[in-house]
Amino acid sequence: MIYLDNAATSFAKPKEVVMAVCDAACRGCANPGRGGHSLSVSAGEVLYNTRGRIAELFNISDPERIAFCKNTTEALNFGIKGVMHNGGHIITTSMEHNSVIRPIKALGKQGVTHSILQADAAGNLDINRLEKMIRRDTRLIVMTHSSNVCGNIYDIEKAAQIARRNNVLFMVDAAQSAGTVQIDAQKVDLLAFPGHKGMLGPMGTGGLYVAEGVKIASIIEGGTGSVSESLTQPEFFPDILESGTQNVPAIAGLGAAAEFLLKEGVWAIRGHENELCKRFEDEIKNIENITIYGSGEKTAITAFNIVGADCVEVAQILNDRYGIATRAGLHCAYLAHKSLKTEEIGCVRASFGYFNTQKEVDYAADCLYKISKDLQI
Ligand SMILES: Cc1ncc(COP(=O)(O)O)c(C=O)c1O
């Protein structure tokens, strides 16, 4: 199988990650923070070490401000709902995954209002327009760093500056950028990231960074292992957001993944993935009737349609006949597809990872040529 669905979750994982998961599971992985015995303490060290590596990767000065979550969706829910529990107005964009839009819509039932910055048909966002959208009751701007549909990368630094000078919190969804685009968390108030995509860690991992001074409420309580004499949730980090037993083997894998990224270098990883993506696009752009979506600086995603062909059918043929995994449809991002004018037809998304090769890319492009010919007959 040639795996071109790395935007959903990365595969394969570095062998160091697999080894770390096995090692943690095999060495008698006890419950961290729930006892003073050696196995519990060493499980606590796994969490400590992983937090440290992630902090290094994102330039976070206090690793304790990182809470482990089971994925980006959970981190986004913790962040968005945790800072908006007193009501107010949120600004977001049309390029968001439903892991951003749905929590915002759910908050609407509690009176939280929102505005959406619309992207153009190439998936571009005019970040300057955010400033005009800020109201007196705006408390949060939340946006994706990179579109999961077309790969466009957005200027989060500019957005962060606008938020800061207007005294509004700024949260980034780094689902598509963490591990492949350099991120400086010092510039944001909240950062939601996956462990299992570009970070190359196991599924079931992710996290939320909350900057010093940002007031956040917990949305799940209990089971922290700390301050058992208290009947209410601790207010210190990371316990305020880390309720219940943590997935220590997976977090051990995430630590190894972060170590791998630090060793290889995020720029090197990005360079390789971009090269593959560009090569693929250069090879397929001459296919008759092909449309490629998105523009400008991108993560390694190619979103395309063969005009007249059903995107789901194209992806199915790629899988069934040629053993190539892509993702077709609306990619959990209806509004993004609406901006790209593909909400009725969806598109095929090929997403490249660090372990893909030029040979695989050439083969996939070749197969697409054949499919486009076959579908025209
Ligand atoms: C931009 C974006 N946000 C959020 C998510 C949700 O991520 P997770 O699967 O880690 O919950 C995804 C998943 O593809 C995504 O691409």
Side-chain angles (χ1 to χ4, degrees), residues 7-8 70-74 76 95-97 99-100 144 146-148 173 175-176 194 196-197 205 327 349:
K70 67 174 191 279
N71 47 46
T72 330
T73 303
E74 192 173 81
L76 286 163
M95 296 310 287
E96 305 308 312
H97 193 274
S99 298
V100 169
T144 190
S146 165
S147 162
N148 69 307
D173 171 0
Q176 293 300 330
H196 64 103
K197 298 181 194 263
T205 61
R327 179 171 174 200
R349 181 185 72 185

mmCIF file with all atom_site columns, all heavy atoms in Angstrom, residues 7-8 70-74 76 95-97 99-100 144 146-148 173 175-176 194 196-197 205 327 349, ligand 1:
data_model
loop_
_atom_site.group_PDB
_atom_site.id
_atom_site.type_symbol
_atom_site.label_atom_id
_atom_site.label_alt_id
_atom_site.label_comp_id
_atom_site.label_asym_id
_atom_site.label_entity_id
_atom_site.label_seq_id
_atom_site.pdbx_PDB_ins_code
_atom_site.Cartn_x
_atom_site.Cartn_y
_atom_site.Cartn_z
_atom_site.occupancy
_atom_site.B_iso_or_equiv
_atom_site.pdbx_formal_charge
_atom_site.auth_seq_id
_atom_site.auth_comp_id
_atom_site.auth_asym_id
_atom_site.auth_atom_id
_atom_site.pdbx_PDB_model_num
ATOM   1   N N   . ALA A 1 7   ? -2.346  13.412 6.149  1.00 0.00 ? 7   ALA A N   1
ATOM   2   C CA  . ALA A 1 7   ? -3.062  14.517 6.806  1.00 0.00 ? 7   ALA A CA  1
ATOM   3   C C   . ALA A 1 7   ? -4.118  13.978 7.770  1.00 0.00 ? 7   ALA A C   1
ATOM   4   O O   . ALA A 1 7   ? -4.538  14.679 8.689  1.00 0.00 ? 7   ALA A O   1
ATOM   5   C CB  . ALA A 1 7   ? -3.712  15.426 5.758  1.00 0.00 ? 7   ALA A CB  1
ATOM   6   N N   . ALA A 1 8   ? -4.542  12.733 7.560  1.00 0.00 ? 8   ALA A N   1
ATOM   7   C CA  . ALA A 1 8   ? -5.510  12.121 8.488  1.00 0.00 ? 8   ALA A CA  1
ATOM   8   C C   . ALA A 1 8   ? -4.769  11.584 9.708  1.00 0.00 ? 8   ALA A C   1
ATOM   9   O O   . ALA A 1 8   ? -5.127  11.865 10.849 1.00 0.00 ? 8   ALA A O   1
ATOM   10  C CB  . ALA A 1 8   ? -6.281  11.010 7.792  1.00 0.00 ? 8   ALA A CB  1
ATOM   11  N N   . LYS A 1 70  ? -6.277  13.444 23.939 1.00 0.00 ? 70  LYS A N   1
ATOM   12  C CA  . LYS A 1 70  ? -6.214  12.241 23.103 1.00 0.00 ? 70  LYS A CA  1
ATOM   13  C C   . LYS A 1 70  ? -6.127  12.553 21.607 1.00 0.00 ? 70  LYS A C   1
ATOM   14  O O   . LYS A 1 70  ? -5.836  11.665 20.815 1.00 0.00 ? 70  LYS A O   1
ATOM   15  C CB  . LYS A 1 70  ? -7.335  11.265 23.433 1.00 0.00 ? 70  LYS A CB  1
ATOM   16  C CG  . LYS A 1 70  ? -8.729  11.686 23.121 1.00 0.00 ? 70  LYS A CG  1
ATOM   17  C CD  . LYS A 1 70  ? -9.660  10.478 23.408 1.00 0.00 ? 70  LYS A CD  1
ATOM   18  C CE  . LYS A 1 70  ? -11.044 10.692 22.877 1.00 0.00 ? 70  LYS A CE  1
ATOM   19  N NZ  . LYS A 1 70  ? -11.862 11.531 23.776 1.00 0.00 ? 70  LYS A NZ  1
ATOM   20  N N   . ASN A 1 71  ? -6.344  13.785 21.244 1.00 0.00 ? 71  ASN A N   1
ATOM   21  C CA  . ASN A 1 71  ? -6.213  14.204 19.841 1.00 0.00 ? 71  ASN A CA  1
ATOM   22  C C   . ASN A 1 71  ? -6.393  15.727 19.758 1.00 0.00 ? 71  ASN A C   1
ATOM   23  O O   . ASN A 1 71  ? -6.640  16.371 20.782 1.00 0.00 ? 71  ASN A O   1
ATOM   24  C CB  . ASN A 1 71  ? -7.244  13.485 18.947 1.00 0.00 ? 71  ASN A CB  1
ATOM   25  C CG  . ASN A 1 71  ? -8.632  13.517 19.557 1.00 0.00 ? 71  ASN A CG  1
ATOM   26  O OD1 . ASN A 1 71  ? -9.084  14.559 20.022 1.00 0.00 ? 71  ASN A OD1 1
ATOM   27  N ND2 . ASN A 1 71  ? -9.297  12.377 19.597 1.00 0.00 ? 71  ASN A ND2 1
ATOM   28  N N   . THR A 1 72  ? -6.338  16.272 18.558 1.00 0.00 ? 72  THR A N   1
ATOM   29  C CA  . THR A 1 72  ? -6.512  17.727 18.405 1.00 0.00 ? 72  THR A CA  1
ATOM   30  C C   . THR A 1 72  ? -7.934  18.137 18.751 1.00 0.00 ? 72  THR A C   1
ATOM   31  O O   . THR A 1 72  ? -8.155  19.222 19.310 1.00 0.00 ? 72  THR A O   1
ATOM   32  C CB  . THR A 1 72  ? -6.235  18.167 16.948 1.00 0.00 ? 72  THR A CB  1
ATOM   33  O OG1 . THR A 1 72  ? -5.288  17.306 16.366 1.00 0.00 ? 72  THR A OG1 1
ATOM   34  C CG2 . THR A 1 72  ? -5.781  19.594 16.871 1.00 0.00 ? 72  THR A CG2 1
ATOM   35  N N   . THR A 1 73  ? -8.884  17.315 18.388 1.00 0.00 ? 73  THR A N   1
ATOM   36  C CA  . THR A 1 73  ? -10.294 17.649 18.632 1.00 0.00 ? 73  THR A CA  1
ATOM   37  C C   . THR A 1 73  ? -10.534 17.894 20.116 1.00 0.00 ? 73  THR A C   1
ATOM   38  O O   . THR A 1 73  ? -11.189 18.878 20.502 1.00 0.00 ? 73  THR A O   1
ATOM   39  C CB  . THR A 1 73  ? -11.198 16.497 18.133 1.00 0.00 ? 73  THR A CB  1
ATOM   40  O OG1 . THR A 1 73  ? -10.925 16.281 16.747 1.00 0.00 ? 73  THR A OG1 1
ATOM   41  C CG2 . THR A 1 73  ? -12.668 16.803 18.331 1.00 0.00 ? 73  THR A CG2 1
ATOM   42  N N   . GLU A 1 74  ? -10.009 17.005 20.948 1.00 0.00 ? 74  GLU A N   1
ATOM   43  C CA  . GLU A 1 74  ? -10.189 17.170 22.386 1.00 0.00 ? 74  GLU A CA  1
ATOM   44  C C   . GLU A 1 74  ? -9.499  18.458 22.854 1.00 0.00 ? 74  GLU A C   1
ATOM   45  O O   . GLU A 1 74  ? -10.064 19.232 23.634 1.00 0.00 ? 74  GLU A O   1
ATOM   46  C CB  . GLU A 1 74  ? -9.625  15.951 23.127 1.00 0.00 ? 74  GLU A CB  1
ATOM   47  C CG  . GLU A 1 74  ? -10.021 15.922 24.574 1.00 0.00 ? 74  GLU A CG  1
ATOM   48  C CD  . GLU A 1 74  ? -9.597  14.632 25.267 1.00 0.00 ? 74  GLU A CD  1
ATOM   49  O OE1 . GLU A 1 74  ? -8.418  14.528 25.653 1.00 0.00 ? 74  GLU A OE1 1
ATOM   50  O OE2 . GLU A 1 74  ? -10.435 13.736 25.402 1.00 0.00 ? 74  GLU A OE2 1
ATOM   51  N N   . LEU A 1 76  ? -8.906  21.139 21.149 1.00 0.00 ? 76  LEU A N   1
ATOM   52  C CA  . LEU A 1 76  ? -9.673  22.306 20.679 1.00 0.00 ? 76  LEU A CA  1
ATOM   53  C C   . LEU A 1 76  ? -10.903 22.525 21.550 1.00 0.00 ? 76  LEU A C   1
ATOM   54  O O   . LEU A 1 76  ? -11.229 23.659 21.924 1.00 0.00 ? 76  LEU A O   1
ATOM   55  C CB  . LEU A 1 76  ? -10.084 22.106 19.210 1.00 0.00 ? 76  LEU A CB  1
ATOM   56  C CG  . LEU A 1 76  ? -8.937  22.267 18.201 1.00 0.00 ? 76  LEU A CG  1
ATOM   57  C CD1 . LEU A 1 76  ? -9.307  21.651 16.855 1.00 0.00 ? 76  LEU A CD1 1
ATOM   58  C CD2 . LEU A 1 76  ? -8.568  23.733 18.019 1.00 0.00 ? 76  LEU A CD2 1
ATOM   59  N N   . MET A 1 95  ? -12.021 28.280 6.841  1.00 0.00 ? 95  MET A N   1
ATOM   60  C CA  . MET A 1 95  ? -11.139 27.171 6.475  1.00 0.00 ? 95  MET A CA  1
ATOM   61  C C   . MET A 1 95  ? -10.969 26.162 7.611  1.00 0.00 ? 95  MET A C   1
ATOM   62  O O   . MET A 1 95  ? -10.086 25.308 7.565  1.00 0.00 ? 95  MET A O   1
ATOM   63  C CB  . MET A 1 95  ? -9.770  27.713 6.029  1.00 0.00 ? 95  MET A CB  1
ATOM   64  C CG  . MET A 1 95  ? -9.830  28.563 4.779  1.00 0.00 ? 95  MET A CG  1
ATOM   65  S SD  . MET A 1 95  ? -10.742 27.787 3.394  1.00 0.00 ? 95  MET A SD  1
ATOM   66  C CE  . MET A 1 95  ? -9.576  26.522 2.873  1.00 0.00 ? 95  MET A CE  1
ATOM   67  N N   . GLU A 1 96  ? -11.840 26.257 8.607  1.00 0.00 ? 96  GLU A N   1
ATOM   68  C CA  . GLU A 1 96  ? -11.664 25.379 9.780  1.00 0.00 ? 96  GLU A CA  1
ATOM   69  C C   . GLU A 1 96  ? -12.248 23.983 9.581  1.00 0.00 ? 96  GLU A C   1
ATOM   70  O O   . GLU A 1 96  ? -13.228 23.780 8.877  1.00 0.00 ? 96  GLU A O   1
ATOM   71  C CB  . GLU A 1 96  ? -12.325 26.022 11.009 1.00 0.00 ? 96  GLU A CB  1
ATOM   72  C CG  . GLU A 1 96  ? -11.855 27.428 11.322 1.00 0.00 ? 96  GLU A CG  1
ATOM   73  C CD  . GLU A 1 96  ? -10.346 27.560 11.420 1.00 0.00 ? 96  GLU A CD  1
ATOM   74  O OE1 . GLU A 1 96  ? -9.727  26.733 12.099 1.00 0.00 ? 96  GLU A OE1 1
ATOM   75  O OE2 . GLU A 1 96  ? -9.796  28.498 10.802 1.00 0.00 ? 96  GLU A OE2 1
ATOM   76  N N   . HIS A 1 97  ? -11.635 23.074 10.294 1.00 0.00 ? 97  HIS A N   1
ATOM   77  C CA  . HIS A 1 97  ? -12.139 21.703 10.464 1.00 0.00 ? 97  HIS A CA  1
ATOM   78  C C   . HIS A 1 97  ? -13.369 21.780 11.365 1.00 0.00 ? 97  HIS A C   1
ATOM   79  O O   . HIS A 1 97  ? -13.503 22.721 12.156 1.00 0.00 ? 97  HIS A O   1
ATOM   80  C CB  . HIS A 1 97  ? -11.020 20.918 11.155 1.00 0.00 ? 97  HIS A CB  1
ATOM   81  C CG  . HIS A 1 97  ? -11.176 19.440 11.156 1.00 0.00 ? 97  HIS A CG  1
ATOM   82  N ND1 . HIS A 1 97  ? -11.893 18.781 12.118 1.00 0.00 ? 97  HIS A ND1 1
ATOM   83  C CD2 . HIS A 1 97  ? -10.669 18.484 10.334 1.00 0.00 ? 97  HIS A CD2 1
ATOM   84  C CE1 . HIS A 1 97  ? -11.818 17.481 11.896 1.00 0.00 ? 97  HIS A CE1 1
ATOM   85  N NE2 . HIS A 1 97  ? -11.086 17.267 10.815 1.00 0.00 ? 97  HIS A NE2 1
ATOM   86  N N   . SER A 1 99  ? -13.798 20.316 13.955 1.00 0.00 ? 99  SER A N   1
ATOM   87  C CA  . SER A 1 99  ? -13.353 20.263 15.355 1.00 0.00 ? 99  SER A CA  1
ATOM   88  C C   . SER A 1 99  ? -13.244 21.665 15.965 1.00 0.00 ? 99  SER A C   1
ATOM   89  O O   . SER A 1 99  ? -13.137 21.812 17.173 1.00 0.00 ? 99  SER A O   1
ATOM   90  C CB  . SER A 1 99  ? -11.988 19.579 15.468 1.00 0.00 ? 99  SER A CB  1
ATOM   91  O OG  . SER A 1 99  ? -12.084 18.260 15.031 1.00 0.00 ? 99  SER A OG  1
ATOM   92  N N   . VAL A 1 100 ? -13.261 22.694 15.101 1.00 0.00 ? 100 VAL A N   1
ATOM   93  C CA  . VAL A 1 100 ? -13.324 24.084 15.577 1.00 0.00 ? 100 VAL A CA  1
ATOM   94  C C   . VAL A 1 100 ? -14.765 24.595 15.476 1.00 0.00 ? 100 VAL A C   1
ATOM   95  O O   . VAL A 1 100 ? -15.312 25.143 16.434 1.00 0.00 ? 100 VAL A O   1
ATOM   96  C CB  . VAL A 1 100 ? -12.371 24.996 14.752 1.00 0.00 ? 100 VAL A CB  1
ATOM   97  C CG1 . VAL A 1 100 ? -12.625 26.469 15.054 1.00 0.00 ? 100 VAL A CG1 1
ATOM   98  C CG2 . VAL A 1 100 ? -10.930 24.638 15.057 1.00 0.00 ? 100 VAL A CG2 1
ATOM   99  N N   . THR A 1 144 ? -7.060  27.812 12.080 1.00 0.00 ? 144 THR A N   1
ATOM   100 C CA  . THR A 1 144 ? -6.106  26.774 11.718 1.00 0.00 ? 144 THR A CA  1
ATOM   101 C C   . THR A 1 144 ? -4.824  27.394 11.172 1.00 0.00 ? 144 THR A C   1
ATOM   102 O O   . THR A 1 144 ? -4.855  28.458 10.556 1.00 0.00 ? 144 THR A O   1
ATOM   103 C CB  . THR A 1 144 ? -6.724  25.800 10.690 1.00 0.00 ? 144 THR A CB  1
ATOM   104 O OG1 . THR A 1 144 ? -5.860  24.684 10.547 1.00 0.00 ? 144 THR A OG1 1
ATOM   105 C CG2 . THR A 1 144 ? -6.953  26.433 9.329  1.00 0.00 ? 144 THR A CG2 1
ATOM   106 N N   . SER A 1 146 ? -2.937  25.672 9.061  1.00 0.00 ? 146 SER A N   1
ATOM   107 C CA  . SER A 1 146 ? -2.871  25.198 7.677  1.00 0.00 ? 146 SER A CA  1
ATOM   108 C C   . SER A 1 146 ? -4.153  24.435 7.352  1.00 0.00 ? 146 SER A C   1
ATOM   109 O O   . SER A 1 146 ? -4.637  23.654 8.183  1.00 0.00 ? 146 SER A O   1
ATOM   110 C CB  . SER A 1 146 ? -1.650  24.281 7.536  1.00 0.00 ? 146 SER A CB  1
ATOM   111 O OG  . SER A 1 146 ? -1.727  23.532 6.350  1.00 0.00 ? 146 SER A OG  1
ATOM   112 N N   . SER A 1 147 ? -4.684  24.665 6.160  1.00 0.00 ? 147 SER A N   1
ATOM   113 C CA  . SER A 1 147 ? -5.945  24.015 5.784  1.00 0.00 ? 147 SER A CA  1
ATOM   114 C C   . SER A 1 147 ? -5.761  22.515 5.594  1.00 0.00 ? 147 SER A C   1
ATOM   115 O O   . SER A 1 147 ? -4.846  22.080 4.887  1.00 0.00 ? 147 SER A O   1
ATOM   116 C CB  . SER A 1 147 ? -6.472  24.626 4.485  1.00 0.00 ? 147 SER A CB  1
ATOM   117 O OG  . SER A 1 147 ? -7.435  23.764 3.906  1.00 0.00 ? 147 SER A OG  1
ATOM   118 N N   . ASN A 1 148 ? -6.661  21.738 6.184  1.00 0.00 ? 148 ASN A N   1
ATOM   119 C CA  . ASN A 1 148 ? -6.585  20.290 5.995  1.00 0.00 ? 148 ASN A CA  1
ATOM   120 C C   . ASN A 1 148 ? -7.170  19.870 4.655  1.00 0.00 ? 148 ASN A C   1
ATOM   121 O O   . ASN A 1 148 ? -7.058  18.713 4.269  1.00 0.00 ? 148 ASN A O   1
ATOM   122 C CB  . ASN A 1 148 ? -7.314  19.545 7.122  1.00 0.00 ? 148 ASN A CB  1
ATOM   123 C CG  . ASN A 1 148 ? -8.812  19.734 7.063  1.00 0.00 ? 148 ASN A CG  1
ATOM   124 O OD1 . ASN A 1 148 ? -9.292  20.861 7.025  1.00 0.00 ? 148 ASN A OD1 1
ATOM   125 N ND2 . ASN A 1 148 ? -9.562  18.654 7.048  1.00 0.00 ? 148 ASN A ND2 1
ATOM   126 N N   . ASP A 1 173 ? -5.075  26.113 15.781 1.00 0.00 ? 173 ASP A N   1
ATOM   127 C CA  . ASP A 1 173 ? -5.268  24.687 15.526 1.00 0.00 ? 173 ASP A CA  1
ATOM   128 C C   . ASP A 1 173 ? -4.089  24.250 14.650 1.00 0.00 ? 173 ASP A C   1
ATOM   129 O O   . ASP A 1 173 ? -4.032  24.562 13.463 1.00 0.00 ? 173 ASP A O   1
ATOM   130 C CB  . ASP A 1 173 ? -6.602  24.482 14.796 1.00 0.00 ? 173 ASP A CB  1
ATOM   131 C CG  . ASP A 1 173 ? -6.768  23.049 14.294 1.00 0.00 ? 173 ASP A CG  1
ATOM   132 O OD1 . ASP A 1 173 ? -5.862  22.220 14.509 1.00 0.00 ? 173 ASP A OD1 1
ATOM   133 O OD2 . ASP A 1 173 ? -7.816  22.774 13.673 1.00 0.00 ? 173 ASP A OD2 1
ATOM   134 N N   . ALA A 1 175 ? -3.249  21.229 13.813 1.00 0.00 ? 175 ALA A N   1
ATOM   135 C CA  . ALA A 1 175 ? -3.416  19.826 13.406 1.00 0.00 ? 175 ALA A CA  1
ATOM   136 C C   . ALA A 1 175 ? -2.579  19.486 12.176 1.00 0.00 ? 175 ALA A C   1
ATOM   137 O O   . ALA A 1 175 ? -2.005  18.405 12.085 1.00 0.00 ? 175 ALA A O   1
ATOM   138 C CB  . ALA A 1 175 ? -4.888  19.521 13.145 1.00 0.00 ? 175 ALA A CB  1
ATOM   139 N N   . GLN A 1 176 ? -2.525  20.417 11.221 1.00 0.00 ? 176 GLN A N   1
ATOM   140 C CA  . GLN A 1 176 ? -1.822  20.104 9.970  1.00 0.00 ? 176 GLN A CA  1
ATOM   141 C C   . GLN A 1 176 ? -0.401  20.644 9.921  1.00 0.00 ? 176 GLN A C   1
ATOM   142 O O   . GLN A 1 176 ? 0.317   20.385 8.956  1.00 0.00 ? 176 GLN A O   1
ATOM   143 C CB  . GLN A 1 176 ? -2.618  20.644 8.774  1.00 0.00 ? 176 GLN A CB  1
ATOM   144 C CG  . GLN A 1 176 ? -3.943  19.928 8.558  1.00 0.00 ? 176 GLN A CG  1
ATOM   145 C CD  . GLN A 1 176 ? -3.776  18.433 8.298  1.00 0.00 ? 176 GLN A CD  1
ATOM   146 O OE1 . GLN A 1 176 ? -2.768  17.986 7.749  1.00 0.00 ? 176 GLN A OE1 1
ATOM   147 N NE2 . GLN A 1 176 ? -4.755  17.648 8.713  1.00 0.00 ? 176 GLN A NE2 1
ATOM   148 N N   . PRO A 1 194 ? -1.949  17.775 17.395 1.00 0.00 ? 194 PRO A N   1
ATOM   149 C CA  . PRO A 1 194 ? -2.098  16.318 17.433 1.00 0.00 ? 194 PRO A CA  1
ATOM   150 C C   . PRO A 1 194 ? -0.738  15.690 17.703 1.00 0.00 ? 194 PRO A C   1
ATOM   151 O O   . PRO A 1 194 ? 0.300   16.292 17.403 1.00 0.00 ? 194 PRO A O   1
ATOM   152 C CB  . PRO A 1 194 ? -2.529  15.993 16.006 1.00 0.00 ? 194 PRO A CB  1
ATOM   153 C CG  . PRO A 1 194 ? -1.836  17.037 15.172 1.00 0.00 ? 194 PRO A CG  1
ATOM   154 C CD  . PRO A 1 194 ? -1.675  18.266 16.031 1.00 0.00 ? 194 PRO A CD  1
ATOM   155 N N   . HIS A 1 196 ? -0.388  12.569 16.438 1.00 0.00 ? 196 HIS A N   1
ATOM   156 C CA  . HIS A 1 196 ? -0.413  11.419 15.523 1.00 0.00 ? 196 HIS A CA  1
ATOM   157 C C   . HIS A 1 196 ? -0.320  11.759 14.047 1.00 0.00 ? 196 HIS A C   1
ATOM   158 O O   . HIS A 1 196 ? -0.367  10.868 13.205 1.00 0.00 ? 196 HIS A O   1
ATOM   159 C CB  . HIS A 1 196 ? -1.706  10.623 15.762 1.00 0.00 ? 196 HIS A CB  1
ATOM   160 C CG  . HIS A 1 196 ? -2.961  11.402 15.426 1.00 0.00 ? 196 HIS A CG  1
ATOM   161 N ND1 . HIS A 1 196 ? -3.658  11.180 14.272 1.00 0.00 ? 196 HIS A ND1 1
ATOM   162 C CD2 . HIS A 1 196 ? -3.604  12.406 16.077 1.00 0.00 ? 196 HIS A CD2 1
ATOM   163 C CE1 . HIS A 1 196 ? -4.698  12.002 14.239 1.00 0.00 ? 196 HIS A CE1 1
ATOM   164 N NE2 . HIS A 1 196 ? -4.678  12.768 15.330 1.00 0.00 ? 196 HIS A NE2 1
ATOM   165 N N   . LYS A 1 197 ? -0.227  13.065 13.729 1.00 0.00 ? 197 LYS A N   1
ATOM   166 C CA  . LYS A 1 197 ? -0.141  13.424 12.300 1.00 0.00 ? 197 LYS A CA  1
ATOM   167 C C   . LYS A 1 197 ? 1.322   13.739 11.984 1.00 0.00 ? 197 LYS A C   1
ATOM   168 O O   . LYS A 1 197 ? 2.157   12.854 12.060 1.00 0.00 ? 197 LYS A O   1
ATOM   169 C CB  . LYS A 1 197 ? -1.088  14.573 11.984 1.00 0.00 ? 197 LYS A CB  1
ATOM   170 C CG  . LYS A 1 197 ? -2.561  14.234 12.223 1.00 0.00 ? 197 LYS A CG  1
ATOM   171 C CD  . LYS A 1 197 ? -3.447  15.415 11.857 1.00 0.00 ? 197 LYS A CD  1
ATOM   172 C CE  . LYS A 1 197 ? -4.861  15.263 12.373 1.00 0.00 ? 197 LYS A CE  1
ATOM   173 N NZ  . LYS A 1 197 ? -5.780  14.748 11.369 1.00 0.00 ? 197 LYS A NZ  1
ATOM   174 N N   . THR A 1 205 ? -2.988  10.492 20.737 1.00 0.00 ? 205 THR A N   1
ATOM   175 C CA  . THR A 1 205 ? -2.166  11.495 21.428 1.00 0.00 ? 205 THR A CA  1
ATOM   176 C C   . THR A 1 205 ? -2.370  12.884 20.804 1.00 0.00 ? 205 THR A C   1
ATOM   177 O O   . THR A 1 205 ? -2.689  13.007 19.628 1.00 0.00 ? 205 THR A O   1
ATOM   178 C CB  . THR A 1 205 ? -0.655  11.170 21.397 1.00 0.00 ? 205 THR A CB  1
ATOM   179 O OG1 . THR A 1 205 ? -0.213  11.140 20.033 1.00 0.00 ? 205 THR A OG1 1
ATOM   180 C CG2 . THR A 1 205 ? -0.354  9.848  22.072 1.00 0.00 ? 205 THR A CG2 1
ATOM   181 N N   . ARG A 1 327 ? -7.704  10.391 0.471  1.00 0.00 ? 327 ARG A N   1
ATOM   182 C CA  . ARG A 1 327 ? -9.018  10.606 1.094  1.00 0.00 ? 327 ARG A CA  1
ATOM   183 C C   . ARG A 1 327 ? -9.873  11.497 0.218  1.00 0.00 ? 327 ARG A C   1
ATOM   184 O O   . ARG A 1 327 ? -9.433  12.577 -0.199 1.00 0.00 ? 327 ARG A O   1
ATOM   185 C CB  . ARG A 1 327 ? -8.863  11.237 2.483  1.00 0.00 ? 327 ARG A CB  1
ATOM   186 C CG  . ARG A 1 327 ? -10.208 11.471 3.122  1.00 0.00 ? 327 ARG A CG  1
ATOM   187 C CD  . ARG A 1 327 ? -10.157 11.880 4.561  1.00 0.00 ? 327 ARG A CD  1
ATOM   188 N NE  . ARG A 1 327 ? -11.517 12.202 5.003  1.00 0.00 ? 327 ARG A NE  1
ATOM   189 C CZ  . ARG A 1 327 ? -11.795 12.945 6.051  1.00 0.00 ? 327 ARG A CZ  1
ATOM   190 N NH1 . ARG A 1 327 ? -10.823 13.445 6.790  1.00 0.00 ? 327 ARG A NH1 1
ATOM   191 N NH2 . ARG A 1 327 ? -13.040 13.194 6.386  1.00 0.00 ? 327 ARG A NH2 1
ATOM   192 N N   . ARG A 1 349 ? -7.911  14.131 -1.813 1.00 0.00 ? 349 ARG A N   1
ATOM   193 C CA  . ARG A 1 349 ? -6.755  14.730 -1.133 1.00 0.00 ? 349 ARG A CA  1
ATOM   194 C C   . ARG A 1 349 ? -5.648  13.690 -1.025 1.00 0.00 ? 349 ARG A C   1
ATOM   195 O O   . ARG A 1 349 ? -5.828  12.622 -0.458 1.00 0.00 ? 349 ARG A O   1
ATOM   196 C CB  . ARG A 1 349 ? -7.162  15.184 0.263  1.00 0.00 ? 349 ARG A CB  1
ATOM   197 C CG  . ARG A 1 349 ? -6.020  15.843 1.037  1.00 0.00 ? 349 ARG A CG  1
ATOM   198 C CD  . ARG A 1 349 ? -6.437  16.164 2.458  1.00 0.00 ? 349 ARG A CD  1
ATOM   199 N NE  . ARG A 1 349 ? -6.548  14.971 3.285  1.00 0.00 ? 349 ARG A NE  1
ATOM   200 C CZ  . ARG A 1 349 ? -6.982  14.953 4.549  1.00 0.00 ? 349 ARG A CZ  1
ATOM   201 N NH1 . ARG A 1 349 ? -7.373  16.062 5.122  1.00 0.00 ? 349 ARG A NH1 1
ATOM   202 N NH2 . ARG A 1 349 ? -7.055  13.828 5.229  1.00 0.00 ? 349 ARG A NH2 1
HETATM 203 C C1  . LIG B 2 .   ? -7.195  21.261 10.662 1.00 0.00 ? 1   LIG B C1  1
HETATM 204 C C2  . LIG B 2 .   ? -7.639  20.122 11.534 1.00 0.00 ? 1   LIG B C2  1
HETATM 205 N N1  . LIG B 2 .   ? -8.132  20.384 12.749 1.00 0.00 ? 1   LIG B N1  1
HETATM 206 C C3  . LIG B 2 .   ? -8.516  19.425 13.590 1.00 0.00 ? 1   LIG B C3  1
HETATM 207 C C4  . LIG B 2 .   ? -8.426  18.093 13.236 1.00 0.00 ? 1   LIG B C4  1
HETATM 208 C C5  . LIG B 2 .   ? -8.829  17.028 14.200 1.00 0.00 ? 1   LIG B C5  1
HETATM 209 O O1  . LIG B 2 .   ? -7.678  16.323 14.551 1.00 0.00 ? 1   LIG B O1  1
HETATM 210 P P1  . LIG B 2 .   ? -7.700  14.980 15.392 1.00 0.00 ? 1   LIG B P1  1
HETATM 211 O O2  . LIG B 2 .   ? -7.970  13.908 14.398 1.00 0.00 ? 1   LIG B O2  1
HETATM 212 O O3  . LIG B 2 .   ? -6.318  14.893 15.959 1.00 0.00 ? 1   LIG B O3  1
HETATM 213 O O4  . LIG B 2 .   ? -8.749  15.091 16.407 1.00 0.00 ? 1   LIG B O4  1
HETATM 214 C C6  . LIG B 2 .   ? -7.928  17.755 11.973 1.00 0.00 ? 1   LIG B C6  1
HETATM 215 C C7  . LIG B 2 .   ? -7.873  16.349 11.535 1.00 0.00 ? 1   LIG B C7  1
HETATM 216 O O5  . LIG B 2 .   ? -7.637  16.018 10.415 1.00 0.00 ? 1   LIG B O5  1
HETATM 217 C C8  . LIG B 2 .   ? -7.505  18.791 11.115 1.00 0.00 ? 1   LIG B C8  1
HETATM 218 O O6  . LIG B 2 .   ? -7.001  18.534 9.910  1.00 0.00 ? 1   LIG B O6  1
#
